[in-house]
Amino acid sequence: MAHQVPLGAHPRPLGLGTLRPLPRLDPRAAAPHGADDPRDAPVRRPHRPRAHRGPRGPRRLPLRDPGHGQRRPRDPRHAWTGPRIVNGIQVMGGYLGNLLGGGVTLIIYGVAGWTPAILFLAVITALPLITLALYREPARDAGRVQPTLGQAFRALGNVLKQPGAPTWALAVSPLSLCGITVLSSLISAALVDAGWNETEIGTLNGVIIGVAGIAGGLIGGVLIRRFGRSRTLAVTGSSMLVATVPFILIAFGGAPFAGTALAIGLVMFAYTALSTVMLTVSMDYARPATAGTDFTLIVSIAQLASFLASALSLVAAEHLGYTGVAWFSIVLTGAALLLGLRHLRVHAAFLATRA
């Protein structure tokens, strides 16, 4: 019985061994007549890969020919555990700690004093120990070569030899983190000068920023999964720049609580979504054999730069004022956005092999 083949496709004989998909079959060529054309119906043979048509046009074949450099599709069970979503969860976790350890602790202090606040802080600090005690590290893959200590240290010297890695680690990532660090380091000092009390500052720095950060981290991971790194970087970076302008005008120009809280919430929501992109690309540069070393080095460079920026921002504020330094933070974020978009465009081919 003849094999059923969609019109427009070019059948090739099957070997006597393992059945293989049609490696050069383009679903668009196999279905040029529109989504409703009966000739676009899928092949009904149970062991042949099928070219599907949907309302938005052709989808990819369910299996690609490894000989043509295509990877097999990811297991759908892992769709929400990839680096994009995981980095979003990592960002969320950091701001959950900020919410509890910063905001809630200061609110408790304002209501009940230091003793209940410190006890609460001790309890939430001990909670992760339960997870650590119950965690069982999975067995190491016997086929995977584990790096020696010397190899791990040598990896520090050659991780930046990858295409685009120096620009990302030494410019894009530090500029992004320094932009928000310069801005956030001014907030508490400026609000104290504006007459805010501890409870109000704790609510803003802990609760408002914490909730916005948790939401932004989650949304950032979803956006990367749906639209990719470049588009997510463009949207989140631009949103942060736009949100920072009213925040500067409100927070350093009278600082009403409601307006300041709303403005900083929008800034931090956009930033945490942006930082998810930054961490995801940094993870792209982490090579499998020395992933922990590579990722830590790239992230640590940005962290060290942010510590220096935080210290210098308060010194600069004495001479330029809060507003002048805050406007400079926009310059840093804008530079990170432009360099980051260019970086992802220039090194797209390399990063696609590491994603």
Side-chain angles (χ1 to χ4, degrees):
M1 181 175 180
H3 297 296
Q4 296 178 352
V5 180
L7 293 179
H10 300 283
R12 58 186 289 184
L14 294 174
L16 297 179
T18 305
L19 291 176
R20 298 177 64 192
L22 303 180
R24 297 187 183 276
L25 175 60
D26 185 349
R28 291 171 293 184
H33 305 288
D36 299 325
D37 193 290
R39 290 175 290 181
D40 295 335
V43 181
R44 295 300 180 185
R45 294 183 62 81
H47 298 295
R48 293 282 300 277
R50 295 179 294 176
H52 298 273
R53 290 283 296 184
R56 296 187 179 180
R59 300 179 186 174
R60 294 179 180 176
L61 292 174
L63 186 65
R64 299 287 183 131
D65 184 3
H68 285 76
Q70 300 291 339
R71 295 179 296 175
R72 294 175 183 268
R74 295 178 179 175
D75 190 331
R77 295 173 298 177
H78 301 157
W80 292 92
T81 58
R84 296 155 291 191
I85 300 298
V86 169
N87 282 318
I89 295 174
Q90 176 185 352
V91 174
M92 290 171 56
Y95 281 91
L96 176 61
N98 186 80
L99 171 64
L100 297 176
V104 175
T105 301
L106 283 178
I107 292 175
I108 293 175
Y109 160 71
V111 174
W114 275 116
T115 299
I118 295 300
L119 290 175
F120 172 77
L121 188 60
V123 170
I124 63 173
T125 302
L127 285 178
L129 296 177
I130 300 175
T131 302
L132 294 176
L134 297 177
Y135 177 74
R136 295 294 180 268
E137 186 174 355
R140 292 179 180 269
D141 186 357
R144 180 178 177 182
V145 179
Q146 299 298 325
T148 64
L149 183 61
Q151 290 173 331
F153 275 105
R154 284 192 294 272
L156 292 172
N158 55 33
V159 60
L160 298 183
K161 295 180 180 179
Q162 300 178 90
T167 304
W168 186 264
L170 301 176
V172 180
S173 185
L175 283 172
S176 172
L177 188 56
C178 287
I180 190 63
T181 300
V182 168
L183 185 65
S184 61
S185 63
L186 304 175
I187 295 175
S188 295
L191 296 181
V192 169
D193 291 347
W196 285 38
N197 58 41
E198 293 89 347
T199 302
E200 291 173 327
I201 295 176
T203 302
L204 183 74
N205 285 341
V207 179
I208 303 299
I209 290 179
V211 171
I214 292 171
L218 175 62
I219 294 299
V222 174
L223 289 177
I224 297 173
R225 181 174 179 268
R226 177 67 179 85
F227 299 107
R229 290 156 175 75
S230 293
R231 291 183 180 179
T232 304
L233 176 61
V235 171
T236 56
S238 300
S239 299
M240 181 180 171
L241 291 174
V242 172
T244 303
V245 174
F247 170 73
I248 294 175
L249 297 177
I250 295 173
F252 303 112
F257 182 83
T260 303
L262 177 61
I264 191 61
L266 293 175
V267 171
M268 296 309 300
F269 176 84
Y271 168 71
T272 50
L274 171 64
S275 65
T276 303
V277 186
M278 295 293 169
L279 291 174
T280 300
V281 178
S282 297
M283 189 172 287
D284 290 340
Y285 280 110
R287 298 159 297 180
T290 54
T293 301
D294 295 352
F295 181 76
T296 302
L297 174 64
I298 294 173
V299 174
S300 295
I301 293 173
Q303 289 287 346
L304 290 174
S306 71
F307 296 153
L308 180 62
S310 177
L312 293 178
S313 63
L314 292 175
V315 175
E318 295 182 0
H319 303 281
L320 303 176
Y322 294 128
T323 305
V325 178
W327 286 119
F328 180 70
S329 73
I330 292 185
V331 175
L332 296 176
T333 302
L337 175 60
L338 294 177
L339 288 175
L341 291 174
R342 181 183 181 278
H343 180 93
L344 294 179
R345 183 179 68 255
V346 171
H347 301 286
F350 172 76
L351 292 173
T353 66
R354 308 297 297 273

